[in-house]
Amino acid sequence: MEKMNELLKKYFNGETTLTEELELKSYFLSGDINAEHELYRPLFETFEEEKCETAFEPLKKVATKQTKIKHIWIKTVSYSGMAAAIVLALWIQRPQQSENYAIIHGQRIDDPEYVQRYAEKKINDMNERIQNGLKPLKNMEAVKENIRDAREKGTLKNEITESDKTGNINN
Amino acid sequence: MDPKQFNTQILTLSDKLFRLAKSILRDAEAAQDAVQELSMKLWEKRNKLDEVENVSAFTMRAMRNLCLDTLRQRRDEDELVPEMEFVEPNPHQQTEQKDLAARVRKMIDELPELQRTIIRMRDVEEMELSEIAYVTSLTENAVSVNLSRARQKIREKIIYEQKRVEETIWKR
């Protein structure tokens, strides 16, 4: 009791050593305090509480260069992977409606029967045009045949003339 | 000082630095920012830290100086006048301060910056007077005087409040 009074007097005069202050703290935190000293208990409890207070966001450790590069690579690969996954997901989930359609005169047509009929009609039209386009060529074939006949006759006549001169047809 | 040494010698002080900054600035968020700022500044000058004899005390001193700069910048806004007298809490405040530890904490916070820094460095961080003298750029004797003043003021406040409580009980 007397000792504690003496220590408290020294404490408030700023004359205690660290060891003496530790002794005071353990006395006030022991729970067995003289009623006279109860007054100062909150002071020493506060110091003890504050000692346990920590930074709510501890400082981050400094990374070496090697680990930084490693982290950049990991990040790059991760982001690339995520981007690829998003593209794949969008491709898989794209609307089925957009698979079969045609653009006719600048308009999107989703009715497959209409598109088929339209295509067939266009193909038939094209065939007809091709056939009509070939008609003049048939006449040309007839002309070519006549010319070929005339040439053959001319050649034969010449051959006969030559054989008359030599007496040998096969030469 | 290489990154490994920096991590073990500086970053392990983060809680201690935070408590010091919070005591000076009386604002947890501002204290956190100050600690982050200091760690960045120290990292930039890590090569010079090899020349420092007591890294812990040096870092604490740098932390206090940084906080004092912050206080100077906002002095007109919220810093208390150094020798401001204890203001008697109104009944509403008394109700709010039911927790004894919170009341004592407030009493310490109301001390002038130098006194509250010194009392906490001694009674919370348990630092030697020579270390506190280095951090505060004072002589050991000046530290003792300020420590004594701080403790005496807290004692007076505690006794004053105790009397008020007793008077209130007698009036009932």
Side-chain angles (χ1 to χ4, degrees):
Chain A
M1 169 79 177
E2 273 303 309
K3 192 189 177 189
M4 283 303 147
N5 278 337
E6 192 60 34
L7 274 182
L8 273 171
K9 192 180 171 189
K10 277 182 79 178
Y11 171 81
F12 285 113
N13 286 332
E15 295 165 350
T16 37
T17 62
L18 274 177
T19 316
E20 287 170 332
E21 285 164 18
L22 282 174
E23 197 178 335
L24 270 175
K25 283 175 187 173
S26 50
Y27 166 69
F28 278 99
L29 297 173
S30 68
D32 185 19
I33 311 164
N34 191 292
E36 194 185 329
H37 299 144
E38 188 64 32
L39 186 67
Y40 304 116
R41 188 173 51 84
L43 179 63
F44 293 94
E45 282 179 349
T46 303
F47 292 144
E48 205 57 29
E49 269 182 35
E50 288 198 5
K51 203 183 287 180
C52 301
E53 195 172 6
T54 55
F56 47 78
E57 201 178 300
L59 292 171
K60 286 174 186 169
K61 282 190 176 182
V62 177
T64 61
K65 280 183 181 177
Q66 202 178 2
T67 51
K68 269 185 182 172
I69 292 165
K70 198 179 171 186
H71 286 162
I72 289 166
W73 269 107
I74 290 167
K75 277 186 180 175
T76 310
V77 171
S78 307
Y79 290 147
S80 307
M82 281 193 282
I86 290 165
V87 169
L88 188 66
L90 289 174
W91 185 76
I92 289 167
Q93 290 183 352
R94 72 195 196 284
Q96 290 298 313
Q97 201 181 10
S98 65
E99 278 185 357
N100 297 313
Y101 69 91
I103 304 292
I104 298 171
H105 299 303
Q107 281 191 333
R108 178 182 164 138
I109 308 294
D110 290 314
D111 181 358
E113 285 184 20
Y114 177 85
V115 173
Q116 198 175 348
R117 285 201 305 274
Y118 182 86
E120 281 171 1
K121 188 176 178 297
K122 284 289 166 190
I123 290 165
N124 288 337
D125 287 354
M126 191 61 74
N127 259 340
E128 206 171 314
R129 282 182 191 177
I130 291 167
Q131 291 306 320
N132 289 336
L134 289 176
K135 271 183 186 174
L137 292 175
K138 281 182 181 174
N139 295 334
M140 282 297 290
E141 282 298 316
V143 171
K144 275 184 182 176
E145 209 168 317
N146 288 337
I147 291 170
R148 204 180 302 122
D149 288 347
R151 276 184 181 168
E152 279 175 2
K153 283 176 185 173
T155 311
L156 187 62
K157 191 181 174 182
N158 285 337
E159 280 177 358
I160 292 167
T161 313
E162 286 295 316
S163 62
D164 285 347
K165 284 178 184 175
T166 59
N168 187 1
I169 273 182
N170 296 321
N171 268 346
Chain B
M1 186 178 277
D2 61 36
K4 197 177 174 184
Q5 286 174 316
F6 190 84
N7 286 337
T8 52
Q9 290 187 46
I10 305 290
L11 301 189
T12 48
L13 295 171
S14 64
D15 291 338
K16 204 173 173 179
L17 294 171
F18 172 75
R19 287 193 292 267
L20 175 64
K22 194 185 165 200
S23 178
I24 298 171
L25 300 171
R26 294 182 293 201
D27 180 338
E29 277 189 36
Q32 187 73 44
D33 292 345
V35 174
Q36 293 288 352
E37 189 183 337
L38 180 72
S39 73
M40 284 169 69
K41 282 185 177 176
L42 289 175
W43 173 247
E44 283 166 10
K45 293 178 181 177
R46 62 189 177 281
N47 293 334
K48 289 183 180 176
L49 290 174
D50 291 327
E51 299 161 16
V52 176
E53 199 176 319
N54 186 339
V55 175
S56 172
F58 174 85
T59 310
M60 292 285 275
R61 182 174 175 160
M63 184 77 267
R64 180 171 181 256
N65 290 338
L66 195 147
C67 291
L68 290 181
D69 285 344
T70 308
L71 280 187
R72 276 185 209 108
Q73 285 168 7
R74 66 179 198 196
R75 184 183 293 158
D76 298 334
E77 296 171 19
D78 61 357
E79 171 65 347
L80 293 173
V81 179
E83 295 306 321
M84 185 176 177
E85 292 298 318
F86 176 60
V87 181
E88 184 185 330
N90 61 40
H92 177 67
Q93 285 172 325
Q94 285 177 5
T95 322
E96 278 185 338
Q97 294 168 24
K98 272 183 183 173
D99 180 31
L100 292 171
R103 286 212 308 264
V104 173
R105 195 182 287 233
K106 191 172 182 293
M107 287 174 191
I108 300 170
D109 277 336
E110 284 170 346
L111 292 171
E113 183 280 321
L114 186 61
Q115 289 180 16
R116 66 176 183 265
T117 299
I118 288 175
I119 196 173
R120 280 189 167 123
M121 280 198 280
R122 180 66 174 187
D123 287 328
V124 178
E125 308 300 342
E126 294 167 358
M127 290 166 67
E128 293 284 354
L129 290 180
S130 56
E131 278 186 307
I132 300 172
Y134 174 79
V135 173
T136 53
S137 308
L138 296 174
T139 61
E140 281 188 41
N141 187 46
V143 171
S144 285
V145 170
N146 275 285
L147 180 63
S148 171
R149 281 182 190 161
R151 286 173 176 170
Q152 292 283 2
K153 279 185 187 176
I154 296 294
R155 186 190 189 190
E156 284 166 18
K157 287 177 182 182
I158 290 172
I159 292 170
Y160 176 86
E161 201 168 313
Q162 183 65 23
K163 277 185 182 174
R164 278 190 54 82
V165 172
E166 285 170 4
E167 281 169 13
T168 314
I169 293 167
W170 280 109
K171 279 177 188 174
R172 280 179 186 168

